[in-house]
Each structure stands twice: as C-alpha cells, then as structure tokens.
Amino acid sequence: MLCLVIPYLVFQRRAPKGLKNERSQRRLFVLGVILLWIATDWPLGLLGASYLASAHMLQFLVYTMAVAPLLLLGVPEWMARRLIGHMRLYRVMSRCSRPVVAGLLFNGMLIFSHSPWAVDNLRASQFGSFAMDFLWLIGGLLVWAPLVSPIPEHRMTSYPGRMAYLFLALGVIPAVPGGFLTFASFPLYATYELAPRGHGLGATTDQQLAGLVMKLGGIPVVWGTIAVLMYRWSEVSRLESAEARRLSGVIPPSDDLGQSSTDPDQ
C-alpha cells in the first residue's frame, strides 16, 4: 500500500506550474487504496487465500470492479504521462488499451487465475497469493483503461462502443466461468476442498457461492456504468442537436435581445 501512496503524494508535489491538484481525484485514489487494503489484508485476504473460494472470488471482484477504476480515476493526466514516460511504457499502454486487446487480456487472465492449476499452485504460498493479487490488479487496470484512462488518447470516444465493450468484457464473458462454478457438482479446487470447514460451508456449496459472486457481483457496476454512459450520450446528443438547430437558424442565439432570460427553452 505504501508503494502506491508514497509515490502518488511525491508526484503531486511536483505538479507542473499552473495545474491544480484536484482533491476529488486524490480522494478517489485514496479510496481505491483503502479498498485494496481491505481486500488484501485480514480477514478477507486470509479467507480467500486458504479457506473459502467465495472469499477468493469476492477479492477478485473488489480488485477488478472497484479498486482498478478508482485508481485510474484518481491519477491526473500529467502524472500518468510522466510516469509512463519514465518507465518507457507509452507504446505498450497504447496497444494494451485498445478495446479488443484489453478485453482479451483481462478475460484470459480471469480464466487462468481461476483455473484449478493456478489456484492450487499459487495459493499454496504467500508469494503465489501475492502474484495472483498483483495479476488481478493489473488485469483490472487494463480492462478499465479504454473507459477511464487518465490519458485521453487511450480512451474510447464512442458512447455506444464504450457500452458494448463494457457489456462484453465485464458482463458476458466472465459469466461463463461463473456459471461453470455454480453448476459444478464437485469441488474443483483442492485448496478449498481440503481447508478446515470451521466456517460451516461445504466445499461444493462454497464453490457454487463463488460462481454466483462472479456471475452477479459485477452486475451493479457494469449496468450502473452503462446507465451513466447512456445519460451522458443523451446529453451530448441533445446539445449537439440544439447547436445544429441554432446554426441553421431554427433557434435564435441565446443572446438575442428578443428572448427573455426566464424562457424555459433557453
């Protein structure tokens, strides 16, 4: 957590002259780090690493559906450009932020990190669990980059394209492994099958609950974001239509002396 917060605060003190640090962005970044801490530390981190597949899945959702977009929204454009420039990752990020590439990389990471081989081998050690958490965070940042990247040229410009991308990358494809976990009649992960059952959940029931979390847990985020995009799209379309009518002479300019300032159309 300190490796995220300290560089962020140091970079903020080196902001270019004339650029103000937005407090709202700072709050979003700090909120993302707090959620990352909650999902990683005790008790959720311990349960997800050694005891419950459902806790493991809840960690994944927090990382990819909450932490990743909050971190991206909390980074100013100048900071992102400077950081990527120092690390010489601009070309890599430009390619990875393309919708098709980002969606494929994220869902490939999702399938790999939830395969029985990966779970049983990585969760067996603390370093392996850290590697899985890191993989989730990177995958979440990649999949949200076409939507909320701090660098404008890395974001999609079409509202219908954004909604379609969000629906496919985070709505449809993740439901496939989630459904497989939900309807499996036997435990797939030895790590959670052999764990102590002091929590009262059987291994199969816990796995089915994990599948439900994967299938349904992201719905509020996905459809909530789509609703926001639809609203913004309608507002942009309305303003563009009003401007087109004004330029064509159907609607007089707003500074026309013959129009009252209290006119509802204005």
Side-chain angles (χ1 to χ4, degrees):
M1 303 306 127
L2 292 177
C3 288
L4 290 174
V5 174
I6 292 178
Y8 180 82
L9 297 177
V10 171
F11 264 94
Q12 277 200 330
R13 294 184 178 181
R14 300 178 180 178
K17 294 182 179 179
L19 293 179
K20 296 181 180 180
N21 293 323
E22 295 290 341
R23 291 185 178 181
S24 59
Q25 286 186 309
R26 190 186 312 167
R27 291 170 183 169
L28 290 174
F29 189 88
V30 172
L31 178 59
V33 174
I34 292 174
L35 290 178
L36 179 63
W37 193 347
I38 293 174
T40 307
D41 207 347
W42 184 91
L44 185 57
L46 178 61
L47 291 174
S50 306
Y51 294 96
L52 292 173
S54 53
H56 162 99
M57 200 65 67
L58 183 59
Q59 280 185 285
F60 170 78
L61 281 182
V62 174
Y63 272 67
T64 57
M65 293 292 186
V67 173
L70 287 173
L71 293 181
L72 289 174
L73 290 170
V75 176
E77 178 183 349
W78 64 266
M79 185 184 296
R81 291 188 183 278
R82 184 176 296 181
L83 181 62
I84 292 177
H86 286 329
M87 300 177 67
R88 299 181 180 180
L89 294 176
Y90 185 85
R91 291 185 178 180
V92 175
M93 291 304 302
S94 297
R95 294 176 181 177
C96 291
S97 61
R98 295 173 183 173
V100 175
V101 177
L104 290 176
L105 288 176
F106 171 76
N107 285 282
M109 178 276 301
L110 183 151
I111 294 173
F112 168 76
S113 63
H114 291 92
S115 65
W117 181 89
V119 171
D120 291 336
N121 284 276
L122 293 180
R123 288 303 197 187
S125 66
Q126 187 172 359
F127 179 80
S129 290
F130 173 80
M132 180 171 287
D133 294 342
F134 185 76
L135 190 63
W136 286 347
L137 181 59
I138 296 299
L141 294 174
L142 288 177
V143 76
W144 283 98
L147 299 173
V148 293
S149 173
I151 301 178
E153 59 266 27
H154 292 171
R155 296 195 297 261
M156 302 174 66
T157 57
S158 169
Y159 281 99
R162 293 181 188 181
M163 291 184 284
Y165 166 77
L166 186 62
F167 177 71
L168 292 174
L170 288 171
V172 174
I173 300 179
V176 177
F180 187 74
L181 292 174
T182 302
F183 297 107
S185 58
F186 56 91
L188 298 175
Y189 306 121
T191 299
Y192 303 116
E193 180 184 6
L194 302 177
R197 309 248 63 91
H199 37 71
L201 281 177
T204 304
T205 304
D206 175 42
Q207 180 176 281
Q208 293 172 346
L209 181 60
L212 290 175
V213 171
M214 176 180 280
K215 288 181 62 177
L216 305 178
I219 288 179
V221 176
V222 172
W223 287 104
T225 307
I226 290 177
V228 172
L229 291 174
M230 290 184 66
Y231 173 77
R232 291 183 178 178
W233 185 24
S234 65
E235 288 295 306
V236 171
S237 300
R238 183 181 62 83
L239 293 176
E240 290 178 349
S241 299
E243 181 67 16
R245 290 196 301 270
R246 188 186 69 82
L247 294 176
S248 63
V250 177
I251 298 179
S254 60
D255 57 350
D256 190 353
L257 296 178
Q259 185 176 16
S260 171
S261 61
T262 58
D263 189 348
D265 291 337
Q266 182 181 12

Coordinates of all heavy atoms in Angstrom, one line a residue, residues 98-132:
R98 N -6.2 -0.7 -26.3 CA -7.2 -0.9 -27.4 C -8.3 -1.9 -26.8 O -8.0 -2.9 -26.2 CB -6.5 -1.5 -28.6 CG -5.5 -0.5 -29.2 CD -4.7 -1.2 -30.3 NE -3.7 -0.3 -30.9 CZ -2.8 -0.6 -31.8 NH1 -2.8 -1.9 -32.2 NH2 -1.9 0.2 -32.2
P99 N -9.5 -1.6 -27.2 CA -10.6 -2.4 -26.6 C -10.5 -3.9 -26.7 O -10.7 -4.7 -25.8 CB -11.9 -1.9 -27.3 CG -11.5 -0.5 -27.7 CD -10.0 -0.6 -28.0
V100 N -10.2 -4.4 -28.0 CA -10.1 -5.8 -28.2 C -8.9 -6.4 -27.4 O -9.1 -7.5 -26.8 CB -9.9 -6.1 -29.7 CG1 -9.7 -7.6 -30.0 CG2 -11.2 -5.6 -30.5
V101 N -7.8 -5.8 -27.4 CA -6.6 -6.3 -26.7 C -6.9 -6.3 -25.2 O -6.6 -7.3 -24.5 CB -5.4 -5.4 -27.0 CG1 -4.2 -5.9 -26.2 CG2 -5.1 -5.5 -28.5
A102 N -7.4 -5.2 -24.7 CA -7.7 -5.1 -23.2 C -8.7 -6.2 -22.8 O -8.5 -6.8 -21.8 CB -8.2 -3.7 -22.9
G103 N -9.8 -6.4 -23.6 CA -10.8 -7.4 -23.2 C -10.2 -8.8 -23.3 O -10.5 -9.6 -22.4
L104 N -9.4 -9.1 -24.3 CA -8.8 -10.4 -24.4 C -7.8 -10.7 -23.3 O -7.8 -11.8 -22.7 CB -8.2 -10.6 -25.7 CG -9.1 -10.7 -27.0 CD1 -8.3 -10.8 -28.2 CD2 -10.0 -11.9 -26.8
L105 N -7.0 -9.7 -23.0 CA -6.0 -9.9 -21.9 C -6.7 -10.1 -20.5 O -6.3 -10.9 -19.7 CB -5.1 -8.6 -21.8 CG -4.1 -8.5 -23.0 CD1 -3.3 -7.2 -22.8 CD2 -3.1 -9.7 -23.0
F106 N -7.7 -9.3 -20.3 CA -8.4 -9.4 -19.0 C -9.1 -10.7 -18.8 O -9.0 -11.4 -17.8 CB -9.4 -8.2 -18.8 CG -10.3 -8.4 -17.6 CD1 -9.9 -8.1 -16.4 CD2 -11.6 -8.9 -17.8 CE1 -10.7 -8.3 -15.3 CE2 -12.5 -9.0 -16.7 CZ -12.0 -8.7 -15.4
N107 N -9.8 -11.1 -19.8 CA -10.6 -12.4 -19.7 C -9.6 -13.6 -19.8 O -9.9 -14.6 -19.2 CB -11.6 -12.5 -20.8 CG -12.8 -11.6 -20.5 OD1 -13.7 -11.9 -19.7 ND2 -12.9 -10.4 -21.2
G108 N -8.5 -13.5 -20.5 CA -7.5 -14.5 -20.4 C -6.9 -14.7 -19.0 O -6.7 -15.8 -18.5
M109 N -6.7 -13.5 -18.4 CA -6.2 -13.5 -17.0 C -7.2 -14.1 -16.1 O -6.9 -14.9 -15.2 CB -5.8 -12.1 -16.6 CG -5.4 -11.9 -15.2 SD -6.7 -11.7 -14.0 CE -7.6 -10.3 -14.6
L110 N -8.5 -13.7 -16.3 CA -9.6 -14.3 -15.5 C -9.7 -15.8 -15.5 O -9.7 -16.5 -14.5 CB -10.9 -13.6 -15.9 CG -12.2 -14.0 -15.2 CD1 -13.2 -12.8 -15.3 CD2 -12.9 -15.2 -15.7
I111 N -9.6 -16.3 -16.7 CA -9.7 -17.8 -16.9 C -8.5 -18.5 -16.3 O -8.6 -19.5 -15.6 CB -9.9 -18.1 -18.4 CG1 -11.2 -17.6 -18.9 CG2 -9.8 -19.7 -18.6 CD1 -11.4 -17.8 -20.4
F112 N -7.3 -17.9 -16.5 CA -6.1 -18.5 -16.0 C -6.1 -18.5 -14.5 O -5.8 -19.5 -13.8 CB -4.9 -17.8 -16.5 CG -3.6 -18.2 -15.8 CD1 -3.0 -19.4 -16.1 CD2 -3.0 -17.3 -14.9 CE1 -1.8 -19.7 -15.4 CE2 -1.9 -17.7 -14.2 CZ -1.3 -18.9 -14.5
S113 N -6.4 -17.3 -13.9 CA -6.3 -17.2 -12.4 C -7.4 -17.9 -11.7 O -7.2 -18.1 -10.5 CB -6.3 -15.7 -12.0 OG -7.6 -15.1 -12.4
H114 N -8.4 -18.4 -12.4 CA -9.4 -19.2 -11.7 C -9.4 -20.7 -12.1 O -10.3 -21.4 -11.8 CB -10.8 -18.6 -12.0 CG -11.0 -17.3 -11.3 ND1 -10.8 -16.1 -11.9 CD2 -11.5 -17.0 -10.0 CE1 -11.0 -15.1 -11.0 NE2 -11.5 -15.6 -9.9
S115 N -8.4 -21.0 -12.9 CA -8.2 -22.5 -13.2 C -7.8 -23.2 -12.0 O -7.1 -22.7 -11.1 CB -7.2 -22.6 -14.4 OG -5.9 -22.2 -13.9
P116 N -8.1 -24.5 -11.9 CA -7.7 -25.3 -10.7 C -6.2 -25.3 -10.6 O -5.7 -25.3 -9.5 CB -8.3 -26.7 -11.0 CG -9.5 -26.4 -11.9 CD -9.1 -25.2 -12.7
W117 N -5.5 -25.4 -11.7 CA -4.0 -25.5 -11.6 C -3.4 -24.2 -11.0 O -2.6 -24.2 -10.1 CB -3.4 -25.7 -13.0 CG -1.9 -25.8 -13.0 CD1 -1.1 -26.9 -12.8 CD2 -1.0 -24.7 -13.1 NE1 0.2 -26.6 -12.8 CE2 0.3 -25.2 -13.0 CE3 -1.1 -23.3 -13.2 CZ2 1.5 -24.4 -13.0 CZ3 0.1 -22.5 -13.3 CH2 1.3 -23.1 -13.2
A118 N -3.9 -23.0 -11.5 CA -3.4 -21.8 -10.9 C -3.7 -21.6 -9.5 O -2.9 -21.2 -8.7 CB -3.9 -20.6 -11.8
V119 N -5.0 -21.8 -9.1 CA -5.4 -21.6 -7.7 C -4.6 -22.5 -6.8 O -4.1 -22.1 -5.8 CB -6.9 -21.8 -7.6 CG1 -7.4 -21.8 -6.2 CG2 -7.7 -20.8 -8.4
D120 N -4.6 -23.8 -7.1 CA -3.9 -24.8 -6.2 C -2.4 -24.5 -6.1 O -1.8 -24.8 -5.0 CB -4.2 -26.2 -6.6 CG -5.7 -26.6 -6.4 OD1 -6.3 -25.9 -5.6 OD2 -6.2 -27.5 -7.2
N121 N -1.8 -24.0 -7.1 CA -0.3 -23.8 -7.1 C 0.0 -22.5 -6.5 O 1.0 -22.3 -5.7 CB 0.3 -24.0 -8.5 CG 0.4 -25.4 -8.9 OD1 1.3 -26.1 -8.6 ND2 -0.6 -25.9 -9.6
L122 N -0.7 -21.4 -6.9 CA -0.4 -20.1 -6.4 C -0.8 -19.9 -5.0 O -0.1 -19.2 -4.2 CB -1.0 -19.0 -7.3 CG -0.4 -19.0 -8.7 CD1 -1.1 -17.9 -9.6 CD2 1.1 -18.8 -8.7
R123 N -2.0 -20.4 -4.6 CA -2.5 -20.2 -3.3 C -1.7 -21.0 -2.2 O -1.9 -20.8 -1.0 CB -4.0 -20.5 -3.2 CG -4.9 -19.5 -3.9 CD -4.8 -18.1 -3.3 NE -5.9 -17.3 -3.6 CZ -5.9 -16.0 -3.4 NH1 -4.9 -15.4 -2.8 NH2 -7.0 -15.3 -3.7
A124 N -0.9 -21.9 -2.6 CA -0.1 -22.7 -1.7 C 1.0 -22.0 -1.0 O 1.5 -22.4 0.0 CB 0.5 -23.9 -2.4
S125 N 1.3 -20.8 -1.5 CA 2.4 -20.0 -0.8 C 2.0 -18.5 -0.7 O 1.1 -18.1 -1.5 CB 3.7 -20.1 -1.6 OG 3.6 -19.5 -2.9
Q126 N 2.6 -17.8 0.2 CA 2.3 -16.4 0.3 C 2.8 -15.6 -0.9 O 2.1 -14.7 -1.4 CB 3.0 -15.8 1.5 CG 2.6 -14.4 1.9 CD 3.2 -14.0 3.2 OE1 3.8 -14.7 3.9 NE2 2.9 -12.7 3.6
F127 N 3.9 -16.0 -1.5 CA 4.4 -15.3 -2.7 C 3.4 -15.5 -3.9 O 3.1 -14.7 -4.7 CB 5.8 -15.8 -3.1 CG 6.3 -15.1 -4.3 CD1 6.9 -13.8 -4.3 CD2 6.3 -15.8 -5.5 CE1 7.3 -13.3 -5.5 CE2 6.8 -15.2 -6.7 CZ 7.3 -13.9 -6.7
G128 N 2.9 -16.8 -4.0 CA 2.0 -17.1 -5.0 C 0.7 -16.3 -4.9 O 0.1 -15.9 -5.9
S129 N 0.2 -16.2 -3.7 CA -1.0 -15.4 -3.4 C -0.8 -13.9 -3.8 O -1.7 -13.3 -4.4 CB -1.4 -15.5 -2.0 OG -1.9 -16.8 -1.7
F130 N 0.4 -13.4 -3.5 CA 0.7 -12.0 -3.9 C 0.7 -11.9 -5.4 O 0.3 -10.9 -5.9 CB 2.1 -11.6 -3.3 CG 2.5 -10.3 -3.7 CD1 2.0 -9.1 -3.2 CD2 3.5 -10.2 -4.7 CE1 2.5 -7.9 -3.6 CE2 3.9 -9.0 -5.2 CZ 3.4 -7.8 -4.6
A131 N 1.3 -12.9 -6.1 CA 1.4 -12.8 -7.5 C 0.0 -12.8 -8.1 O -0.3 -12.1 -9.1 CB 2.2 -14.0 -8.1
M132 N -0.9 -13.6 -7.6 CA -2.3 -13.6 -8.1 C -3.0 -12.3 -7.8 O -3.7 -11.8 -8.7 CB -3.1 -14.8 -7.4 CG -4.6 -14.9 -7.9 SD -5.4 -16.4 -7.3 CE -4.6 -17.6 -8.3

